Amino acid sequence: MDNFSQYLDLIEDTGNIGYWHLNLKSNHLFWSPGVYRIHGVSSKDFTPNLENAVKFYHPDDRAELMASIEKAITEKKGDAFDLRIIRADNNIRYVRSSFKTELDENKEVIALFGIFQDMTEQIEKTNEIKEAHNFLNTVIDYVPDYIFVKDRDYNIVLGNKAFWSLYKQPKEALIGTTTYEKYPEKEAQSFIERDERVFTIGEDEIEESITNNKGVTRAFITKKVAFKRQNGEQFLLGISRDITQRRLYEEKIKDYSAQLEMRNMNLERSNQALEEFAHTAAHDLKEPVRSIHSYVEMILYDHPEIDSEIKESLEKVMSVSWRMGQMVSELLLLSEISQIIGDFVETDLNKVLEQEMKALEARLEQANAVVEIENMPTIKCHPTRIGEIFRNLIVNSMKYNKSSKKIIEVGSFDDNEKTVFFVKDNGIGIKESHQGEIFKLFKRLHGKMDYGGGTGIGLAVTKKIVEMHNGRIWVESKKDQGTTFFFTLS
Ligand code: ADP
């Protein structure tokens, strides 16, 4: 490189820069090689003048270009513009030109001399940054939490829609100010101390109740983080969530559970009192009832000469007192079931059923009933009480059955990780409308003495034992089409 113009060329090329000169007298426009390059034309095919040069500019920008030139001429001083040109290949470039005026001896503008620079890359980059910035702003505006950034002097420099709405003031009114003055002095002081701590420690997260100047208190959970920009400037990012409603719900739930606990306790107490009462009543009644039965029996035995009418009445007293004694013993049993907690052991139900079958053998044979028992699992339960469940259900299956051959099936299956037990019969069935009734105490669907008689306690006892095992009992049946009782034990 041995001459100046070569250096100039290199500068123009690498800097995407050029220069131009417009002689207003001769209307001659000079472009340096750099200006040609930026316009995408060659000096061989194109001779610039003001008219054809203006045509390179974007139609929307031409007026501004002319205004800038005219202003320079009238005000006799240089100007600058940032405008778009459309190159010969239709490519849009952003160009910047700063120019100055040349005056003659009468101080009239005779020429303009300008530097011309292709700014496309810089402007596109700036636009990209702007776009990213807008995108981020839109995103944070949609976040319902309060987001804000403070500078080292605690002034707000950025916020989202939710944050501005918190103060019911536009963004412009809040940017560059601190928000401390919106709070009573004591609160404001604690904010300053905390913000300062975040700048020192780096971050902080707390749940806080804040009362503003209008006396409104709300609960927030706030996280603050300190960060530095590359130039060393310090900032604090805060994200705050309004948890007032959540707190209210939590309080309500707490209240409800306290009330529920109280009710449960009262219920348990009254249940216990009732059970104690039933137990005492049944226990104390057992003896007098038995005595009535024995005395009447004695009278009948000792006085065979007794009038037949009186004898008949006394026999009725005997039967009623026997039935009463039965009810009292079963009531006693029912009141004792709640005491079985803690007596649960691993139990092979096959063995339990074997024993029950032995006890029922004669009755089953007499009734022409067969019990088909599947292989049963081993479970943790109260063995005697579980035996009572199976016995009650099997006896009922046999009692409430008019089939010449009574078939009773006992088994179990798994359903939803629970073992379901069943006792199925081919008996008289239960009308759907009665199915909810049968588990109630003393509830019978038939006359006192029908189907071998009964007290209506059996299923109430069964249900209670099932519930003491945290289980559930239900029935599926149709009149005249047999009945299946199902129960779980956990
Ligand atoms: P009880 O047998 O002493 O009457 P339960 O409580 O055992 O008392 O039964 C209540 C009522 O439910 C019975 O009176 C009967 O009407 C009905 N029931 C019970 N089991 C069956 C069954 N397997 N089939 C038809 N009805 C039944």
Side-chain angles (χ1 to χ4, degrees):
M1 293 229 200
D2 51 359
N3 69 43
F4 178 71
S5 85
Q6 271 180 311
Y7 283 129
L8 211 56
D9 248 12
L10 188 63
I11 292 169
E12 285 201 356
D13 199 18
T14 48
N16 252 334
I17 201 165
Y19 60 93
W20 54 271
H21 185 268
L22 175 65
N23 186 324
L24 293 167
K25 287 258 155 63
S26 65
N27 212 14
H28 176 253
L29 176 62
F30 166 83
W31 281 1
S32 73
V35 178
Y36 276 105
R37 233 185 335 264
I38 294 168
H39 280 82
V41 288
S42 133
S43 57
K44 286 192 202 104
D45 321 318
F46 186 78
T47 313
N49 55 45
L50 186 57
E51 208 177 306
N52 63 18
V54 168
K55 282 197 182 137
F56 272 101
Y57 285 80
H58 192 287
D60 294 347
D61 293 359
R62 285 176 199 163
E64 199 178 319
L65 169 73
M66 294 315 291
S68 174
I69 293 173
E70 273 158 33
K71 186 171 156 235
I73 296 169
T74 43
E75 291 181 9
K76 298 177 183 175
K77 62 175 192 223
D79 198 16
F81 55 79
D82 273 329
L83 296 171
R84 290 165 295 176
I85 60 165
I86 303 170
R87 283 176 14 162
D89 59 3
N90 273 335
N91 194 339
I92 294 185
R93 310 299 291 177
Y94 293 86
V95 295
R96 169 171 295 169
S97 188
S98 316
F99 59 95
K100 69 180 194 67
T101 51
E102 284 172 16
L103 309 178
D104 62 7
E105 58 278 11
N106 301 323
K107 304 263 187 261
E108 285 303 316
V109 180
I110 50 163
L112 303 175
F113 173 77
I115 302 289
F116 199 73
Q117 192 178 1
D118 186 343
M119 300 291 288
T120 311
E121 269 173 34
Q122 289 92 321
I123 286 183
E124 276 176 354
K125 269 199 190 110
T126 315
N127 283 347
E128 260 172 41
I129 292 168
K130 262 194 211 153
E131 213 178 292
H133 190 83
N134 286 343
F135 177 73
L136 204 68
N137 272 342
T138 314
V139 170
I140 67 164
D141 268 347
Y142 278 105
V143 176
D145 292 345
Y146 308 107
I147 300 178
F148 53 91
V149 176
K150 294 178 180 182
D151 63 17
R152 191 62 184 84
D153 300 324
Y154 319 117
N155 291 317
I156 298 294
V157 292
L158 194 142
N160 69 343
K161 256 193 189 147
F163 182 74
W164 311 130
S165 71
L166 184 65
Y167 293 100
K168 298 192 173 57
Q169 271 187 295
K171 178 177 172 173
E172 296 71 28
L174 286 160
I175 284 212
T177 69
T178 74
T179 51
Y180 302 140
E181 57 277 10
K182 316 274 183 221
Y183 298 96
E185 214 180 307
K186 221 172 120 201
E187 301 256 341
Q189 194 52 42
S190 87
F191 290 161
I192 297 174
E193 279 163 20
R194 273 209 349 259
D195 284 353
E196 197 47 52
R197 202 172 64 230
V198 175
F199 276 122
T200 329
I201 296 171
E203 61 175 75
D204 179 37
E205 183 172 332
I206 57 158
E207 265 192 57
E208 54 189 346
S209 278
I210 299 178
T211 307
N212 67 12
N213 267 345
K214 289 179 182 137
V216 181
T217 304
R218 298 195 72 83
F220 296 91
I221 179 159
T222 305
K223 183 166 179 108
K224 288 180 178 170
V225 184
F227 66 94
K228 258 188 203 162
R229 281 178 65 166
Q230 258 179 358
N231 62 8
E233 268 185 278
Q234 281 181 283
F235 292 91
L236 177 154
L237 163 70
I239 300 174
S240 203
R241 180 167 295 180
D242 192 328
I243 52 165
T244 315
Q245 205 60 29
R246 196 175 91 190
R247 280 241 182 119
L248 281 176
Y249 288 141
E250 280 168 1
E251 290 297 315
K252 269 194 189 151
I253 288 171
K254 248 194 228 160
D255 265 14
Y256 286 145
S257 31
Q259 277 179 28
L260 214 69
E261 214 168 289
M262 190 70 133
R263 275 188 204 164
N264 258 348
M265 259 166 61
N266 287 341
L267 215 69
E268 238 167 62
R269 230 178 275 149
S270 78
N271 263 350
Q272 209 179 334
L274 254 158
E275 248 158 40
E276 275 165 22
F277 170 76
H279 186 78
T280 316
H283 186 264
D284 292 357
L285 275 174
K286 215 172 156 182
E287 216 28 64
V289 168
R290 195 178 290 157
S291 302
I292 295 171
H293 191 266
S294 317
Y295 282 128
V296 176
E297 204 174 27
M298 261 163 59
I299 295 170
L300 283 173
Y301 184 78
D302 291 346
H303 302 278
E305 74 286 358
I306 225 163
D307 180 274
S308 69
E309 230 172 272
I310 301 177
K311 193 177 168 205
E312 207 176 297
S313 300
L314 284 174
E315 273 168 356
K316 268 193 192 142
V317 172
M318 254 183 67
S319 130
V320 169
S321 61
W322 182 85
R323 190 172 151 77
M324 208 168 153
Q326 190 86 0
M327 284 169 102
V328 164
S329 333
E330 287 181 40
L331 214 56
L332 204 58
L333 177 72
L334 186 71
S335 70
E336 280 165 8
I337 292 168
S338 46
Q339 279 142 35
I340 66 174
I341 304 173
D343 297 336
F344 293 0
V345 288
E346 286 295 327
T347 309
D348 179 357
L349 293 182
N350 296 301
K351 293 217 169 100
V352 171
L353 277 156
E354 217 173 274
Q355 271 178 11
E356 294 301 331
M357 284 305 105
K358 258 190 207 139
L360 290 171
E361 204 175 357
R363 276 180 84 180
L364 287 164
E365 203 181 305
Q366 204 180 7
N368 195 21
V370 285
V371 184
E372 295 165 0
I373 303 174
E374 288 177 6
N375 188 29
M376 299 297 276
T378 294
I379 55 156
K380 199 161 185 192
C381 64
H382 189 291
T384 321
R385 298 301 185 206
I386 296 303
E388 273 161 28
I389 295 182
F390 283 113
R391 193 187 322 144
N392 279 342
L393 296 179
I394 292 170
V395 167
N396 278 353
S397 294
M398 178 170 70
K399 259 167 74 178
Y400 303 104
N401 200 326
K402 290 196 274 193
S403 304
S404 53
K405 182 161 189 195
K406 302 172 175 61
I407 300 171
I408 304 159
E409 293 163 55
V410 179
S412 68
F413 58 89
D414 286 336
D415 182 39
N416 261 335
E417 292 178 13
K418 284 204 169 178
T419 307
V420 180
F421 301 95
F422 65 87
V423 176
K424 181 177 181 200
D425 65 45
N426 58 344
I428 60 170
I430 305 167
K431 261 214 259 172
E432 221 169 299
S433 57
H434 288 149
Q435 289 173 10
E437 299 287 297
I438 55 174
F439 296 101
K440 290 183 182 160
L441 194 58
F442 300 132
K443 186 72 195 175
R444 300 203 77 228
L445 300 178
H446 316 282
K448 267 184 218 142
M449 291 313 186
D450 296 346
Y451 295 100
T455 50
I457 286 183
L459 284 180
V461 169
T462 304
K463 184 168 183 254
K464 190 138 187 206
I465 300 174
V466 166
E467 284 171 356
M468 288 311 291
H469 283 80
N470 283 327
R472 196 167 76 80
I473 182 162
W474 67 100
V475 65
E476 277 176 18
S477 180
K478 273 206 176 104
K479 196 171 170 344
D480 300 325
Q481 290 181 33
T483 302
T484 309
F485 279 92
F486 297 93
F487 63 96
T488 58
L489 289 174
S490 59

CSV table of all heavy atoms in Angstrom, one decimal, residues 1-35:
chain,number,residue,atom,x,y,z
A,1,MET,N,0.8,-1.2,0.0
A,1,MET,CA,0.0,0.0,0.0
A,1,MET,C,0.9,1.2,0.0
A,1,MET,O,1.5,1.5,1.0
A,1,MET,CB,-0.8,0.0,1.3
A,1,MET,CG,-1.8,-1.2,1.2
A,1,MET,SD,-3.4,-0.7,1.6
A,1,MET,CE,-4.0,-2.3,2.0
A,2,ASP,N,0.8,1.9,-1.1
A,2,ASP,CA,1.8,3.0,-1.1
A,2,ASP,C,1.1,4.3,-1.3
A,2,ASP,O,1.7,5.4,-1.3
A,2,ASP,CB,2.8,2.8,-2.2
A,2,ASP,CG,2.2,2.4,-3.5
A,2,ASP,OD1,0.9,2.4,-3.5
A,2,ASP,OD2,2.9,2.2,-4.5
A,3,ASN,N,-0.2,4.3,-1.5
A,3,ASN,CA,-0.8,5.7,-1.5
A,3,ASN,C,-2.0,5.8,-0.6
A,3,ASN,O,-2.7,4.9,-0.3
A,3,ASN,CB,-1.0,6.2,-3.0
A,3,ASN,CG,-2.1,5.4,-3.6
A,3,ASN,OD1,-3.1,5.1,-3.0
A,3,ASN,ND2,-1.8,5.0,-4.9
A,4,PHE,N,-2.3,7.1,-0.4
A,4,PHE,CA,-3.4,7.4,0.5
A,4,PHE,C,-4.7,6.9,0.2
A,4,PHE,O,-5.5,6.4,1.0
A,4,PHE,CB,-3.4,9.0,0.6
A,4,PHE,CG,-4.4,9.5,1.5
A,4,PHE,CD1,-4.3,9.3,2.9
A,4,PHE,CD2,-5.6,10.1,1.0
A,4,PHE,CE1,-5.3,9.8,3.8
A,4,PHE,CE2,-6.6,10.6,1.9
A,4,PHE,CZ,-6.4,10.4,3.2
A,5,SER,N,-5.1,7.0,-1.2
A,5,SER,CA,-6.4,6.5,-1.6
A,5,SER,C,-6.6,5.1,-1.3
A,5,SER,O,-7.8,4.6,-1.1
A,5,SER,CB,-6.7,6.9,-3.0
A,5,SER,OG,-6.2,5.9,-3.9
A,6,GLN,N,-5.5,4.3,-1.4
A,6,GLN,CA,-5.7,2.8,-1.1
A,6,GLN,C,-6.1,2.6,0.4
A,6,GLN,O,-6.9,1.8,0.7
A,6,GLN,CB,-4.4,2.1,-1.4
A,6,GLN,CG,-4.4,1.6,-2.8
A,6,GLN,CD,-3.1,0.9,-3.1
A,6,GLN,OE1,-2.0,1.4,-2.8
A,6,GLN,NE2,-3.2,-0.3,-3.7
A,7,TYR,N,-5.4,3.4,1.3
A,7,TYR,CA,-5.8,3.4,2.7
A,7,TYR,C,-7.2,3.7,2.9
A,7,TYR,O,-7.9,3.1,3.7
A,7,TYR,CB,-4.9,4.3,3.5
A,7,TYR,CG,-3.5,3.8,3.8
A,7,TYR,CD1,-2.4,4.6,3.5
A,7,TYR,CD2,-3.3,2.6,4.3
A,7,TYR,CE1,-1.1,4.2,3.7
A,7,TYR,CE2,-2.0,2.1,4.5
A,7,TYR,CZ,-0.9,2.9,4.2
A,7,TYR,OH,0.4,2.5,4.4
A,8,LEU,N,-7.6,4.8,2.2
A,8,LEU,CA,-9.0,5.3,2.4
A,8,LEU,C,-10.0,4.2,1.9
A,8,LEU,O,-11.0,4.0,2.6
A,8,LEU,CB,-9.2,6.5,1.5
A,8,LEU,CG,-10.2,7.6,2.0
A,8,LEU,CD1,-9.8,8.0,3.4
A,8,LEU,CD2,-10.2,8.7,1.0
A,9,ASP,N,-9.6,3.5,0.8
A,9,ASP,CA,-10.5,2.4,0.3
A,9,ASP,C,-10.7,1.4,1.4
A,9,ASP,O,-11.8,0.9,1.6
A,9,ASP,CB,-9.8,1.8,-0.9
A,9,ASP,CG,-10.7,2.1,-2.1
A,9,ASP,OD1,-11.6,3.0,-2.0
A,9,ASP,OD2,-10.4,1.5,-3.2
A,10,LEU,N,-9.5,1.0,2.0
A,10,LEU,CA,-9.5,0.0,3.0
A,10,LEU,C,-10.4,0.4,4.2
A,10,LEU,O,-11.2,-0.4,4.7
A,10,LEU,CB,-8.1,-0.3,3.5
A,10,LEU,CG,-8.0,-1.5,4.4
A,10,LEU,CD1,-8.4,-2.8,3.7
A,10,LEU,CD2,-6.6,-1.7,4.9
A,11,ILE,N,-10.3,1.6,4.6
A,11,ILE,CA,-11.1,2.1,5.7
A,11,ILE,C,-12.5,2.1,5.4
A,11,ILE,O,-13.4,1.6,6.1
A,11,ILE,CB,-10.7,3.6,6.1
A,11,ILE,CG1,-9.3,3.6,6.7
A,11,ILE,CG2,-11.7,4.2,7.1
A,11,ILE,CD1,-8.7,5.0,6.8
A,12,GLU,N,-12.9,2.5,4.1
A,12,GLU,CA,-14.3,2.5,3.7
A,12,GLU,C,-14.8,1.1,3.7
A,12,GLU,O,-16.0,0.9,4.2
A,12,GLU,CB,-14.4,3.1,2.3
A,12,GLU,CG,-14.2,4.6,2.3
A,12,GLU,CD,-14.8,5.2,1.0
A,12,GLU,OE1,-15.3,4.5,0.2
A,12,GLU,OE2,-14.8,6.5,0.9
A,13,ASP,N,-14.0,0.2,3.2
A,13,ASP,CA,-14.5,-1.2,3.1
A,13,ASP,C,-14.7,-1.8,4.4
A,13,ASP,O,-15.8,-2.4,4.7
A,13,ASP,CB,-13.4,-2.0,2.3
A,13,ASP,CG,-14.1,-3.2,1.7
A,13,ASP,OD1,-15.3,-3.2,1.6
A,13,ASP,OD2,-13.3,-4.1,1.3
A,14,THR,N,-13.7,-1.7,5.3
A,14,THR,CA,-13.9,-2.4,6.6
A,14,THR,C,-14.9,-1.7,7.5
A,14,THR,O,-15.6,-2.4,8.2
A,14,THR,CB,-12.5,-2.6,7.3
A,14,THR,OG1,-11.9,-1.3,7.3
A,14,THR,CG2,-11.6,-3.6,6.7
A,15,GLY,N,-15.0,-0.4,7.4
A,15,GLY,CA,-16.0,0.3,8.2
A,15,GLY,C,-17.3,0.4,7.6
A,15,GLY,O,-18.2,1.0,8.2
A,16,ASN,N,-17.6,-0.1,6.4
A,16,ASN,CA,-18.8,0.1,5.8
A,16,ASN,C,-19.2,1.5,5.7
A,16,ASN,O,-20.3,1.9,6.1
A,16,ASN,CB,-19.9,-0.7,6.5
A,16,ASN,CG,-20.4,-1.9,5.7
A,16,ASN,OD1,-20.2,-1.9,4.4
A,16,ASN,ND2,-20.9,-2.9,6.3
A,17,ILE,N,-18.3,2.3,5.3
A,17,ILE,CA,-18.4,3.8,5.4
A,17,ILE,C,-18.0,4.4,4.0
A,17,ILE,O,-17.3,3.8,3.2
A,17,ILE,CB,-17.5,4.2,6.5
A,17,ILE,CG1,-17.9,5.6,7.1
A,17,ILE,CG2,-16.0,4.2,6.2
A,17,ILE,CD1,-17.3,5.9,8.4
A,18,GLY,N,-18.4,5.6,3.8
A,18,GLY,CA,-18.0,6.3,2.6
A,18,GLY,C,-18.3,7.8,2.8
A,18,GLY,O,-18.6,8.3,3.9
A,19,TYR,N,-18.1,8.6,1.7
A,19,TYR,CA,-18.4,10.0,1.8
A,19,TYR,C,-18.9,10.5,0.5
A,19,TYR,O,-18.7,9.9,-0.5
A,19,TYR,CB,-17.1,10.8,2.3
A,19,TYR,CG,-15.9,10.7,1.3
A,19,TYR,CD1,-15.7,11.7,0.3
A,19,TYR,CD2,-15.0,9.6,1.5
A,19,TYR,CE1,-14.7,11.6,-0.5
A,19,TYR,CE2,-13.9,9.5,0.6
A,19,TYR,CZ,-13.8,10.5,-0.4
A,19,TYR,OH,-12.7,10.4,-1.2
A,20,TRP,N,-19.6,11.6,0.6
A,20,TRP,CA,-20.3,12.2,-0.6
A,20,TRP,C,-20.1,13.7,-0.6
A,20,TRP,O,-19.9,14.3,0.5
A,20,TRP,CB,-21.7,11.7,-0.7
A,20,TRP,CG,-22.6,12.0,0.6
A,20,TRP,CD1,-22.7,11.2,1.6
A,20,TRP,CD2,-23.3,13.2,0.8
A,20,TRP,NE1,-23.5,11.8,2.6
A,20,TRP,CE2,-23.9,13.0,2.1
A,20,TRP,CE3,-23.6,14.4,0.2
A,20,TRP,CZ2,-24.8,14.0,2.7
A,20,TRP,CZ3,-24.4,15.4,0.8
A,20,TRP,CH2,-25.0,15.1,2.0
A,21,HIS,N,-20.3,14.3,-1.8
A,21,HIS,CA,-20.2,15.7,-1.9
A,21,HIS,C,-21.2,16.2,-2.9
A,21,HIS,O,-21.3,15.7,-4.0
A,21,HIS,CB,-18.7,16.1,-2.4
A,21,HIS,CG,-18.5,17.6,-2.4
A,21,HIS,ND1,-18.8,18.3,-3.5
A,21,HIS,CD2,-18.1,18.4,-1.4
A,21,HIS,CE1,-18.5,19.6,-3.2
A,21,HIS,NE2,-18.1,19.7,-2.0
A,22,LEU,N,-22.1,17.1,-2.5
A,22,LEU,CA,-23.1,17.6,-3.4
A,22,LEU,C,-22.8,19.1,-3.7
A,22,LEU,O,-22.9,19.9,-2.8
A,22,LEU,CB,-24.5,17.4,-2.8
A,22,LEU,CG,-25.7,18.0,-3.5
A,22,LEU,CD1,-25.9,17.3,-4.9
A,22,LEU,CD2,-27.0,17.9,-2.7
A,23,ASN,N,-22.5,19.4,-4.9
A,23,ASN,CA,-22.3,20.8,-5.3
A,23,ASN,C,-23.7,21.3,-5.7
A,23,ASN,O,-24.3,20.9,-6.7
A,23,ASN,CB,-21.3,20.8,-6.5
A,23,ASN,CG,-21.0,22.2,-6.9
A,23,ASN,OD1,-21.8,23.1,-6.8
A,23,ASN,ND2,-19.7,22.4,-7.3
A,24,LEU,N,-24.1,22.3,-4.9
A,24,LEU,CA,-25.5,22.8,-5.2
A,24,LEU,C,-25.6,23.7,-6.4
A,24,LEU,O,-26.7,23.8,-7.0
A,24,LEU,CB,-26.0,23.5,-3.9
A,24,LEU,CG,-26.2,22.6,-2.7
A,24,LEU,CD1,-26.4,23.5,-1.4
A,24,LEU,CD2,-27.4,21.7,-2.9
A,25,LYS,N,-24.5,24.2,-6.8
A,25,LYS,CA,-24.5,25.1,-8.0
A,25,LYS,C,-24.6,24.2,-9.3
A,25,LYS,O,-25.5,24.4,-10.1
A,25,LYS,CB,-23.2,25.9,-8.0
A,25,LYS,CG,-23.2,27.0,-7.0
A,25,LYS,CD,-23.5,28.4,-7.6
A,25,LYS,CE,-24.1,29.4,-6.6
A,25,LYS,NZ,-23.2,29.7,-5.6
A,26,SER,N,-23.7,23.3,-9.4
A,26,SER,CA,-23.6,22.5,-10.6
A,26,SER,C,-24.5,21.3,-10.5
A,26,SER,O,-24.7,20.5,-11.5
A,26,SER,CB,-22.2,22.0,-10.9
A,26,SER,OG,-21.8,21.1,-9.8
A,27,ASN,N,-25.1,21.1,-9.3
A,27,ASN,CA,-25.9,19.9,-9.0
A,27,ASN,C,-25.1,18.6,-9.2
A,27,ASN,O,-25.7,17.5,-9.5
A,27,ASN,CB,-27.1,19.9,-9.9
A,27,ASN,CG,-28.3,19.2,-9.2
A,27,ASN,OD1,-28.2,19.0,-8.0
A,27,ASN,ND2,-29.3,18.9,-10.0
A,28,HIS,N,-23.8,18.7,-9.1
A,28,HIS,CA,-23.0,17.5,-9.3
A,28,HIS,C,-22.9,16.7,-7.9
A,28,HIS,O,-22.5,17.3,-6.9
A,28,HIS,CB,-21.6,17.9,-9.8
A,28,HIS,CG,-20.7,16.7,-9.9
A,28,HIS,ND1,-19.7,16.5,-9.0
A,28,HIS,CD2,-20.7,15.6,-10.8
A,28,HIS,CE1,-19.1,15.4,-9.3
A,28,HIS,NE2,-19.7,14.8,-10.4
A,29,LEU,N,-23.1,15.5,-8.0
A,29,LEU,CA,-23.1,14.7,-6.7
A,29,LEU,C,-21.9,13.7,-6.9
A,29,LEU,O,-21.8,12.9,-7.8
A,29,LEU,CB,-24.4,13.9,-6.5
A,29,LEU,CG,-24.4,13.0,-5.3
A,29,LEU,CD1,-24.2,13.7,-4.0
A,29,LEU,CD2,-25.8,12.2,-5.3
A,30,PHE,N,-21.0,13.7,-5.9
A,30,PHE,CA,-19.9,12.8,-5.9
A,30,PHE,C,-20.1,11.7,-4.8
A,30,PHE,O,-20.5,12.1,-3.7
A,30,PHE,CB,-18.6,13.6,-5.6
A,30,PHE,CG,-17.4,12.6,-5.3
A,30,PHE,CD1,-16.7,12.0,-6.3
A,30,PHE,CD2,-17.1,12.3,-4.0
A,30,PHE,CE1,-15.7,11.1,-6.0
A,30,PHE,CE2,-16.1,11.5,-3.7
A,30,PHE,CZ,-15.4,10.8,-4.7
A,31,TRP,N,-19.9,10.5,-5.2
A,31,TRP,CA,-19.9,9.4,-4.2
A,31,TRP,C,-18.5,8.8,-4.1
A,31,TRP,O,-17.9,8.5,-5.2
A,31,TRP,CB,-20.9,8.3,-4.6
A,31,TRP,CG,-22.3,8.6,-4.4
A,31,TRP,CD1,-22.9,9.7,-3.8
A,31,TRP,CD2,-23.4,7.7,-4.7
A,31,TRP,NE1,-24.2,9.5,-3.7
A,31,TRP,CE2,-24.6,8.3,-4.3
A,31,TRP,CE3,-23.5,6.4,-5.3
A,31,TRP,CZ2,-25.8,7.7,-4.4
A,31,TRP,CZ3,-24.7,5.8,-5.4
A,31,TRP,CH2,-25.9,6.5,-5.0
A,32,SER,N,-18.1,8.5,-3.0
A,32,SER,CA,-16.8,7.7,-2.8
A,32,SER,C,-17.1,6.3,-3.1
A,32,SER,O,-18.3,5.9,-3.1
A,32,SER,CB,-16.2,7.9,-1.4
A,32,SER,OG,-17.0,7.2,-0.5
A,33,PRO,N,-16.1,5.4,-3.3
A,33,PRO,CA,-16.3,4.0,-3.6
A,33,PRO,C,-17.2,3.3,-2.5
A,33,PRO,O,-18.0,2.5,-2.8
A,33,PRO,CB,-14.9,3.4,-3.6
A,33,PRO,CG,-14.0,4.5,-4.0
A,33,PRO,CD,-14.6,5.7,-3.4
A,34,GLY,N,-17.0,3.7,-1.3
A,34,GLY,CA,-17.8,3.2,-0.2
A,34,GLY,C,-19.2,3.4,-0.3
A,34,GLY,O,-20.1,2.5,-0.1
A,35,VAL,N,-19.6,4.6,-0.8
A,35,VAL,CA,-21.0,5.0,-0.9
A,35,VAL,C,-21.6,4.1,-2.1
A,35,VAL,O,-22.7,3.6,-1.9
A,35,VAL,CB,-21.2,6.5,-1.2
A,35,VAL,CG1,-22.7,6.8,-1.4
A,35,VAL,CG2,-20.6,7.3,-0.1
